[in-house]
Structures are given as C-alpha cells and as structure tokens.
Amino acid sequence: MPHLKVESDIKNIGMEGNMSLSLKVWRQSDKDAAGGFEDYKLAHVSPDMSFLEMFDVLNEQLIEEGKEPVSFDHDCREGICGACSMYINGRPHGPLRGVTTCQLHMRSFKDGDTIVVEPWRASAFPVIKDLVVDRDAFDRVISAGGFVSVNTGNAQDANSLPIAKESADDAFAAAACIGCGACVAACKNASAMLFVSAKISQLALLPQGQAERSIRAEKMVAQMDAEGFGACTNTGACSAECPKEISLENIARLNREYIGAKFSSSAV
Amino acid sequence: MATSSRLDAKIPQGSLESKWSKYRSSVPLVNPANKRNLEIIVVGTGLAGASAAATLAELGYKVKAFCFQDSPRRAHSIAAQGGINAAKNYQNDGDSVYRLFYDTIKGGDYRAREANVHRLAEVSGNIIDQCVAAGVPFAREYGGLLSNRSFGGTQVQRTFYAAGQTGQQLLLGAYSGLQRQVGMGTIKMYNRHEMLDIVNIDGKCRGIIARNLITGELERHGGHAVLLCTGGYGNVFYLSTNAMGSNVTAAWKAHKRGAFFGNPCFTQIHPTCIPVSGEHQSKLTLMSESLRNDGRIWVPKKQNDNRPGNEIPEAERDYYLERRYPAFGNLVPRDIASRAAKERCDAGYGVGTSKLAVYLDFAAAVERYGRGEASKNNIHNASDVDIITWGKAVVKEKYGNLFDMYKQITGEDPYEVPMRIYPAVHYTMGGLWVDYNLMTTVPGLYSLGEANFSDHGANRLGASALMQGLADGYFVIPYTIGAYLASEIRTGKISTDHEAFVKAETEVRERIETLLRIQGKTSPELFHRRLGKIMWDKCGMARNAEGLKEAIQEIRQLRKDFWSDVKVMGNATYFNPELDKANRVADFIELGELMCLDALDRNESCGGHFREEYQTEEGEALRDDENYMYVSAWEHKGPEDWELHKEELVYENIKIAQRSYK
Ligand SMILES: Cc1cc2nc3c(=O)[nH]c(=O)nc-3n(C[C@H](O)[C@H](O)[C@H](O)COP(=O)(O)OP(=O)(O)OC[C@H]3O[C@@H](n4cnc5c(N)ncnc54)[C@H](O)[C@@H]3O)c2cc1C
Ligand code: SF4
Ligand code: FES
C-alpha cells in the first residue's frame, strides 16, 4: 500500500535523507510585535522533500521540544492556490524561476546550506504571525472592478461569440495569476502592478470585458493606490520572481488601458 | 425495501424531462422587499459556495460568506485540473442531455437519484454560458469556438477546459462574481474564519458559531438559512490529492446536530497520481485524467522487471487496460482503472523503486502528433527526430503545466521517460444527505457541492464535480431555496442572544479548552497519520468485513488515545494552525468510524466501494441490486452510535445492467 509506514515509526519522518541544514526563520507573535530571526538545525533532510515538507519536519521537531511551531500559509501544495508565500534567501518563493514555495524541492539545496526564511514584506501586507501575512488588499482590488458585471442567468450561448484563439490564449496566460503576492514582495516599491495588470489584461483581451474596460482600469488602480502599494518604476523584478511568469506586457497594457480610461473619463 | 419515513427526497412529480422545468416555475417566490430582510449564511467559497453566494446576493438576499483560507479565491476548487462536462454537443458527436444523464448514472454504478442527475445534465449547458460570460478563458480552436476533450467513462467529447487549470479559471470566475457583490455590500465576506458548529432553534437551522482564526475569538452569526459548501473529506485518509486544509468539520458538526450523512463509504480513488516518495509525504499530487486521452498505461509483462521503462521493448509490455477493456481502453472510469493498477502491482508487476506504480506513457502520442504536424505542413520526408520534436511540442501545448509539475516533484522528465503513477484518494461521493432542494434533514440547512452526497452515486465521472458544484450554486439553490424561505418572511431578524447560540458557543469553547488542556505527547499530525493508515489499509481501494471490523476497533482506540494524549501547542487567543488541525483531526476520527460502518453494511461491490467478498470471476465489482439499491443515510445518536435509514433508489428511465466497459 502506498501509505506511510506510520508505526515503523513516525520518528522516521525527516530521517530519510542525509542533508543537514541551518535555518534562520522569522518569528513574530502578532502584527504589532517586533519579531526577529531564530536559528534552527535540521538533519536528515531528503532531497525529495518539498520545502514545506521540510517545514513540517521542523515543526514536528519544535513540538517535540515543547516549542511553538512556525506558522506559514499553505493549502494546495500544488502551486495553484497561491497561499504559500515564503521569502527564501532573499527571493520570493526561493531560487527557482516559475516555481512556488510549495513546489520547490530540497534537491535545489545542498547539504550544509544555511537558508533564511522571511515573510512577504510590504506595508499593504501586514504580518499576522511568523511567515503569515494579510493579503486582503488583493481581494479589495478585485472587488473594485476585477469582474464582468453579468448576473447569473443572463448569458447567451457560449459559442455565439467566437474569440480568436490568440486572444483567448493571451487572456488565459494573464488569468494564470495565483494572487500570491510575490510580485509585491519582489518589488523594492512594493508595487502591485503585475497582479492588477494581469486581471485588467485578461478582461481587456476578451469581448466580454469590453463594456467596463475603462471604468475597470480606473477603479482597480484607484483601489490599488488606496491600499498603499507603491508605484511601479519598471524594474521588472515582479515578473522575474512571479511563480506563474506573468509577463511585463500586462503592465504595458494596463498603462494603455489606464491612459485610455483617463482620456475618456469625465474627470479629465 | 421501502424508503425510511424519515427521508423525503421531495422529487417532483411528472416525467423525468419535465420535472425540473415545471418545478422551477412553481417554486414559491420571495418578493424583493422581503429578500432584503432574509439573511443567508454560506459556508465555503469553492465553486459551489462562491457561485451560490454571488447568485443569491444578485437576487437580493443578504449574504454572509465564510472560508478558512485567507481569501475565497484559494478554496480547494482552485486545484481542479482537467475540465468540466456539459451536454452542449458542440462536437456533433451524438451528445445530449439524456446521454450525459445516462453516463452519469451508469458511471455511478446505479447508486444515484435519477431526478437529480437529470437536472444536473439539463443545467450543464447554462454553466458554460455563464462562465464564458463572466470572462473564463476556456481553451478554443483556431476558428474561435470552444474546444472539448474526452474524459473517462464516456464516448463523446463534452469536457470543456482551460489547459490543466480548469478549476482555477472557473473558481476565479465565480470568485470575481462574489467579490463584485462584496464590493456592492450585498455579501459580507469572512476570510480566515472556521465554522465550528451550527445552531438550531425549534428544529430549524438558525445560524453558526465561527472562529476568527486570526484572533481566536468565537462569533455567533444568525441567518434564515445556512448553506454548507464545505467540500469533501478525502483527507480522512491523511494522504490524498485534496488541499492540506480540506476537512470534514463543518459537515460533521451538522451531522451531530441532526443532518443525516449519506453514503459515507463512497470514496473515489483516482488512478493517476504521483506515487509516494517517502515518509515525509504530506499530500499526493494528481496527474489529470485528461492525460489518459493520450497516455497509454502499461506494466512489464515480466514480474519484478527492473529495467527502466524506455528500455523495455514493445513486445514485453502489457497495456492491461486496453487488453481488459477494449471498448474504453485507457478511458475506463476511475474506479476500474484504479483497481486494475492495484491488481497488477499486487501481482508483482509494479514499477519504480517502491513497485507501487504503473507507467503512463506518451511516446505513442508524441509520434502520432508529430506525424500529424508533418502532414499538416506537407512534409513527407521528415526525420524521426523532427517528428518527435514536433510531437513533443503538441503534447506540451496540451499538458505542459502537468508535465512541468511532474518533473518538479519527481525530478524526472516525462517528455523523455514514461510517468510513474499510482492511485490515490481524490474525491468523496458521500456527504450530507440532501433532498431535491439540496436541503439536509435539518430544515433550513442546505448542502452544496462535494459536501453533499447527491449526484455521483458510487463513483464520480471525471469533470463532473466542477459541473455539480456550479450547477448547485448557480442554477439549483437560487430556485429551490425559495421553497423554504417563502415561509420565513415573517420570522424577522435572528437574534444571536437566544440560548441555543449561547449553548453552542459554550460547547465549542469547552472543546477548545479541553484540547489545549490535555498536553499529552502526540501531535495532531501524528494522530492524523495513524488514522489515515487505518483507513487506507482497511477502508481504501479494497475492503472486507474482517478488516472493517478491525478498523472500527482501532479507530475507537485511536479516539480514546487522541482525547488523552494529544499535544496542542500554544493557546486559543491568536493565530494557531495547530489548534485548528487538532479540531479537524478529532472530527476525522469520528467520521472514519462511520465510513467503516457504512462499508461494512454494504455487502456488495459498487463503484468506488469494492468489497473483496463480492466480485465476479474476472475481478469486476459485483453489485447486489436486490438488497442494496439504496442510499444509506446515517443518523447520529450519540458517541459510537448511529441509526441507518435507507432511501430506496427507483429507476424508471434507465434499464439497470451490470456496468460493462469491455
Ligand atoms: C487535484 C484535484 C483535481 C480535480 N480536478 C477536477 C476536474 O478536473 N474536474 C472536476 O470536475 N473535478 C475535479 N476535482 C474535484 C473538484 O475539484 C472538487 O470536488 C470541487 O472543486 C469541490 O468544490 P466545492 O465548492 O464543493 O468545495 P471546495 O472547493 O473544496 O471548497 C470548500 C470551501 O469550504 C470552506 N470550508 C470548509 N470547511 C469550512 C469551515 N469549517 N468553516 C469555514 N469554511 C470552510 C473552504 O474554506 C472552502 O472555501 C479535482 C479535485 C482535486 C483534489
Ligand atoms: S502576478 Fe505572479 S507574483 Fe503577482 S500575485 Fe500573480 S502569480 Fe503571484
Ligand atoms: S500551497 Fe498552494 S500554491 Fe503553494
């Protein structure tokens, strides 16, 4: 049976490999606490473990020692929900391109390595505990305009409006954003432009998104600013660190949409 | 057998085809002014919850929605890969509402309700329309029309998809509708909140107790109806393809307060998952069923063959699905594909270091697509190398993200060597028993999506869970809830000062305090692993009476150990995932016992429930329609005490037969 040999024994968890690691992990008890790094040692790490499984082992070890385990966000562990969010050795989601923290495996590290792990740092993403941050700001940006205003039951037949494969594919590529916030964490200004532009692009590329195109760009950008995300200075760090490799072209498209919106808006 | 008097499925009269349309136009309506005063609590924001919350808010109800993740967009639905079914017949390959209905009933091994499944098939087309209108970027053909693929258990192409990220795109669509209503103030969203109990007053569900996971505070929320859209319980097995947080707590609490649990033992084991790599394994990763469109499954013909897959010559490979099931080949339903893989591995033909894996091979597809590209481009003398290169490009376009994921996890490149796969727990057909309106046995308490037991019988067909979740949320509940709420317009606001709220909150608080007080030696995680091991060994892909009886004893002991030896770190006044986990594991343990009880009751094999004592000579599942053509609905009477109620299944439109895919 492909199951863990639980009784053989659970002590074996984390005793399968031969990598030893030093970890420096950010610990912070709540949003107002000061926080700081703590050092931990782990032996017998297997290269087949995922980064989060390595943290599971650390946490079981901490519990064993009567210490509180490290809190971190995670859920799918398949690189799709966008929950995991560790800043590893100075890079959001660690050293690999196009990979989330949960899909990073220990074979990307070497025996004897020291690994520094921090939460996302941005004033719009306050720390809740340890490596867990509050990303509600992203939901509020979506609420401001990241949708098509169509009530259930009003839709026409799905094939009544053909969409060029190219536009559909481009829209899909933009829609692949998992809302993790690595782009914000990667940016020295903590700008959310990549996240916001991905949603604006997706809908601007589809005929269904046309009716609200201008107002959407205006409202989402206004909300993004209100949340305290920084300005975009086109360094491109966001896209380089984005686990879904969301393209910088989206930011260019947002800028066009936004300028277009401002021209047509009564406010100009 | 007659249906228990405690169960009324409320199936409308009339012919199968007209039931839903007639019923829908005769359900009592609630006028807009009254809707504003009716509050609906939606627990869960996956496809079922997000679509329900958004639609009910659009209709004018006041909605509160809850999820335990930090954002509704992260509900487990986000991880669905392969696609969503709909009877659009865009491919002109003979699909129809009836055929989808028929395939679903047959795929479920004749253990689902006809009326519900027909309704599901009827609304399936509307779902696709709705999603496209909301901006979901489904895959398209060059002509701009929607593309379809095949899934197991069917012979038509009716699956709509967005690469291997269909669940993500559908959920983001439903989520955007939900956030739109949040922005308009018609939905109040509670992220990082966990429902820990329901509250009944005078026999009706009137609200919930939720815990703010950041501050640890307990909150009372009142409502005229409560919808549990809280997903499946596959994590009772510890290892499954479900997200780490997926749990049964909401459904279980409802069960303990009067909601019957339907078919708890019906579990789906998915045939194509990445095998376990070691003791550290925390979850399993699915490789979408869509891969079986192009991948061929095989094992070596020789036992214990240790040669690498691509060094085993064609003549020495056993394409056992194609051999056993020529009509459906690699596209047999999941339960059949899973059991066949287990059979080969148990017989000593497994591959990889653990020998608990079979190959899923794309070499033939690469060559076929490569030749296709060559002839499309009028190249007649293409070299083998070119053909392989072009073929790989086509495969990449179809399944690129899945191949990347496989490589990331295993360190092996599936473009070069065949994938190794093995079955894993994936989905739970069982869930809260609901009537045609999706109401549980507690008036005012509904259940939608994977959390209910409804439409898939004993085995769900691929790409049908997304369809069901969105059908329930977008197109069923908005109508059927009227049947109940129309009589609630005089109730007035639900006061959370009622003693039932006080009592429920106190019970939740006491349980949390107990968990923290025990301070034993074993972490919740280890209890979870122990439970998973029992469940997988004795209530997994194959079950027998003796094993199930042992499992029940072992689980009872585990429950005692848990409540005397669990060690929960920290306390309840701040963000504490260990405490959340302990709470969930405690409920999983109780559920495990009920699953074994149900599996023991069902002296037959059907769909995902395979009792070793009941099989044909060829090793196929052997149903017993005479004695077991019922939905089991379990009533909780007390600790380790349940009463079984039966809902007889009546087939008026389908001739039941032994399921054959040969
Ligand atoms: C890897 C994978 C791939 C899949 N691929 C496909 C596919 O291709 N096609 C297909 O049709 N099906 C697929 N499925 C199945 C399908 O994804 C699920 O059945 C479906 O998404 C479930 O949706 P749901 O809305 O019922 O619940 P979920 O999406 O699981 O949502 C549950 C919600 O409930 C909330 N919740 C739960 N408990 C509580 C609580 N106590 N308090 C507050 N909130 C709570 C959660 O926060 C979450 O928001 C797949 C499943 C897996 C695991
Ligand atoms: S754009 Fe990339 S980095 Fe930013 S939230 Fe989306 S997926 Fe994450
Ligand atoms: S845990 Fe879901 S993306 Fe990493």
Side-chain angles (χ1 to χ4, degrees), chain B residues 110 121 151 175 179 183 187 189 206 249 280 310 312 321 350 376 393 405 424-425 455 543-544 546 594 610 626 629:
Chain B
Y110 307 95
F151 255 60
Y175 156 82
Q179 289 300 139
I187 297 180
M189 185 66 225
R206 292 300 192 197
T249 290
H280 55 263
N310 38 5
I312 299 179
L321 287 178
K376 246 195 252 164
M405 189 148 70
V425 173
D455 300 346
R543 304 148 174 198
N544 61 52
E546 198 190 334
L594 180 63
F610 191 73
E626 197 134 325
M629 207 146 73

Side-chain angles (χ1 to χ4, degrees), chain B residues 268-383:
Chain B
Q268 177 159 84
I269 315 276
H270 196 293
T272 54
C273 302
I274 300 180
V276 171
S277 77
E279 298 286 321
H280 55 263
Q281 195 90 27
S282 60
K283 72 156 287 180
L284 294 169
T285 302
L286 177 75
M287 287 285 103
S288 165
E289 176 159 314
S290 58
L291 293 172
R292 285 199 274 144
N293 269 300
D294 284 313
R296 297 178 71 196
I297 294 180
W298 63 276
V299 291
K301 282 189 178 159
K302 222 169 56 200
Q303 281 172 328
N304 298 315
D305 192 332
N306 286 324
R307 288 173 291 177
N310 38 5
E311 286 174 21
I312 299 179
E314 199 54 36
E316 294 174 39
R317 300 176 175 193
D318 176 15
Y319 294 90
Y320 58 88
L321 287 178
E322 297 169 26
R323 169 169 61 76
R324 285 178 68 178
Y325 307 99
F328 281 70
N330 292 297
L331 284 173
V332 291
R334 293 174 173 175
D335 52 337
I336 294 181
S338 291
R339 274 200 295 281
K342 174 175 157 41
E343 188 277 327
R344 283 292 81 188
C345 293
D346 289 352
Y349 297 91
V351 303
T353 42
S354 67
K355 298 287 174 202
L356 284 173
V358 300
Y359 287 127
L360 178 62
D361 196 332
F362 292 86
V366 165
E367 192 183 325
R368 178 163 42 88
Y369 285 125
R371 292 201 187 284
E373 289 299 291
S375 63
K376 246 195 252 164
N377 297 309
N378 271 325
I379 305 172
H380 300 296
N381 50 357
S383 70

Side-chain angles (χ1 to χ4, degrees), chain A residues 47 49-51 86 88-109 182 237-245, chain B residues 404-405 407-409 411:
Chain A
M49 278 179 195
S50 71
F51 200 81
M86 293 186 187
I88 302 165
N89 287 343
R91 296 182 64 182
H93 295 303
L96 297 189
R97 256 191 111 94
V99 170
T100 54
T101 305
C102 59
Q103 293 291 81
L104 178 65
H105 279 67
M106 298 315 294
R107 63 182 87 89
S108 297
F109 297 88
C238 51
S239 180
E241 299 293 354
C242 168
K244 297 294 138 182
E245 303 183 332
Chain B
D404 290 348
M405 189 148 70
K407 185 170 177 192
Q408 194 53 43
I409 291 173

